[in-house]
Amino acid sequence: MARGLKRLITNDLTQRWPAPSRVRRLFAVLAVATAGLIACACSETPQTAFNPRSEYADDGLNLFIVVIWFGVIIGVLVEGVLIWAAIQYRRRPRDPLPPQIHGNTIIEILWTTGPVIVVGYILFITLPVIFSTQAPAPPSSMDVEVIGHQFWWEFQYPDANVVTANELHLPVGQTANLILQSDDVIHSFWIPALGGKRDAFPGHTNFIWMTPNSTGEFPGQCYQLCGYSHGNMRERAIIESPTDFQAWLKSQQQPVVQPTDPTAVEGGQLFQTRGCAACHAINGTPAQGKVGPNLTHVASRGVIAGSVLQNTTQDMRVWLKDPPGVKPGSIMPNLSLNDHELDVLVAYLQSLK
Ligand code: CUA
């Protein structure tokens, strides 16, 4: 079996072909492996463009399906003719050399015009979608400033004076105009359920807009290689009813509630003195750093660290203990916090609802 595989892979003609029973065994193993792979594909895949939740995502998926069907039909036709010809006209013992021909005008015309018509049709249905999705957002849209950082996304709601990270809250049924920028290198904003990918550049403003049509949480992923932890730069959209969205916005506008629990109070003091405040802002406190996420209401978020970790006491402790260990290349350094410092800082941050 192993020798048969090796022979197939290396095409080593010095070895004997595997015996027929071995070939059968090889195909049995391949069949089981294929079935296993197909079964794996049945697991939940929330980060998919096949679950469109906006007009932009609908347009993209519709185009994709048309192109896929063209591909399937043409692929089956071409491969079918190819296989049929290979079997029908295979070389047989004692066959004379077949007649030698060159060129066939009708076939040449058919297989030149056929692809032109197919590609022309795909262009014809694609152009309107390109123009509509690249057009400026309607004036009634809600602006959200989306800023890419190595390796997390910042979301600012300028009209409400709210700043958050990792989770993009949007109301259902309202067109959102995402104004894309980057603080360092080129990133690419992409939430498959809401539409296509769009780059976020340093020093240049880009935009993407869509109208979410159903509530729920939809994950996304930075799509432009942006450094060591590009793969850890995730985001998620939380689409809410207008009432829930307004309630969320209102809660984010509230000034920070200073904790009363002594452990959290100690953590709050440590936050200001241990270096955290140089990079993070907590509105209403001396901490006004702009390098890392604004942490005013960090405990209200579901995820932390570029959405790599859940926002739990345990995960936050893992993060604070060694940020570059969790997210290689993270700007947040390992501050060598001891166990007590970790405990009080986590208690403080988890109090910032
Ligand atoms: Cu940011 Cu990849």
Side-chain angles (χ1 to χ4, degrees):
M1 163 80 206
R3 195 142 45 90
L5 259 182
K6 191 181 165 215
R7 192 187 180 285
L8 282 177
I9 293 165
T10 60
N11 202 19
D12 179 0
L13 297 173
T14 59
Q15 289 188 34
R16 242 169 22 88
W17 268 106
S21 68
R22 287 183 176 178
V23 174
R24 268 201 297 275
R25 240 186 302 161
L26 172 66
F27 277 104
V29 169
L30 285 178
V32 170
T34 310
L37 279 175
I38 291 171
C40 291
C42 299
S43 65
E44 214 183 316
T45 51
Q47 193 167 297
T48 171
F50 287 96
N51 178 24
R53 300 304 180 106
S54 77
E55 80 289 29
Y56 187 151
D58 281 336
D59 286 349
L61 182 60
N62 291 340
L63 282 179
F64 182 73
I65 287 172
V66 171
V67 174
I68 281 291
W69 273 116
F70 268 121
V72 167
I73 293 167
I74 293 169
V76 168
L77 277 178
V78 171
E79 290 301 320
V81 172
L82 192 72
I83 291 168
W84 171 78
I87 294 170
Q88 178 71 19
Y89 299 107
R90 69 186 181 282
R91 189 171 180 202
R92 295 185 174 90
R94 289 188 294 282
D95 265 1
L97 198 63
Q100 301 298 296
I101 55 163
H102 178 261
N104 180 315
T105 311
I106 293 187
I107 291 180
E108 294 282 349
I109 290 172
L110 283 181
W111 68 35
T112 306
T113 50
V116 168
I117 291 169
V118 170
V119 174
Y121 177 70
I122 291 172
L123 179 71
F124 176 73
I125 58 171
T126 306
L127 277 180
V129 178
I130 293 177
F131 284 118
S132 70
T133 56
Q134 298 287 328
S140 58
S141 312
M142 181 186 78
D143 284 347
V144 182
E145 289 182 15
V146 176
I147 302 154
H149 299 261
Q150 282 171 321
F151 300 96
W152 56 282
W153 290 98
E154 178 174 359
F155 302 111
Q156 298 188 358
Y157 298 75
D159 296 337
N161 204 18
V162 162
V163 182
T164 186
N166 301 323
E167 292 173 334
L168 170 65
H169 286 252
L170 293 176
V172 67
Q174 156 88 57
T175 305
N177 181 32
L178 310 183
I179 302 163
L180 304 170
Q181 285 164 291
S182 167
D183 198 37
D184 33 56
V185 298
I186 302 175
H187 303 273
S188 185
F189 184 80
W190 185 40
I191 293 181
L194 294 186
K197 314 166 179 102
R198 198 68 59 91
D199 278 2
F201 302 100
H204 170 78
T205 303
N206 210 351
F207 65 87
I208 186 171
W209 57 272
M210 76 289 288
T211 314
N213 61 23
S214 44
T215 57
E217 293 187 13
F218 307 102
Q221 166 72 52
C222 176
Y223 208 78
Q224 183 69 258
L225 182 62
C226 56
Y228 280 137
S229 275
H230 157 68
N232 292 327
M233 186 166 167
R234 302 178 200 161
E235 67 261 22
R236 55 180 191 161
I238 300 179
I239 313 298
E240 297 163 309
S241 69
T243 322
D244 287 351
F245 174 74
Q246 285 306 327
W248 173 80
L249 210 56
K250 204 154 185 199
S251 73
Q252 297 293 305
Q253 288 169 323
Q254 299 307 309
V256 68
V257 177
Q258 292 298 341
T260 48
D261 170 65
T263 315
V265 170
E266 189 187 340
Q269 289 158 354
L270 200 66
F271 189 92
Q272 302 294 340
T273 56
R274 197 64 166 76
C276 316
C279 293
H280 294 280
I282 295 179
N283 302 350
T285 77
Q288 292 301 319
K290 297 276 184 224
V291 178
N294 183 307
L295 299 177
T296 309
H297 294 287
V298 64
S300 71
R301 299 172 197 159
V303 287
I304 54 169
S307 315
V308 174
L309 296 174
Q310 295 298 308
N311 192 1
T312 60
T313 307
Q314 215 173 4
D315 275 13
M316 190 175 267
R317 204 171 192 284
V318 168
W319 171 244
L320 295 182
K321 195 174 169 62
D322 182 15
V326 175
K327 234 175 23 166
S330 108
I331 290 171
M332 181 157 158
N334 183 339
L335 292 169
S336 307
L337 299 165
N338 64 36
D339 280 349
H340 177 71
E341 289 173 322
L342 286 168
D343 287 341
V344 297
L345 270 175
V346 170
Y348 172 60
L349 292 169
Q350 292 296 349
S351 79
L352 302 176
K353 298 280 186 207

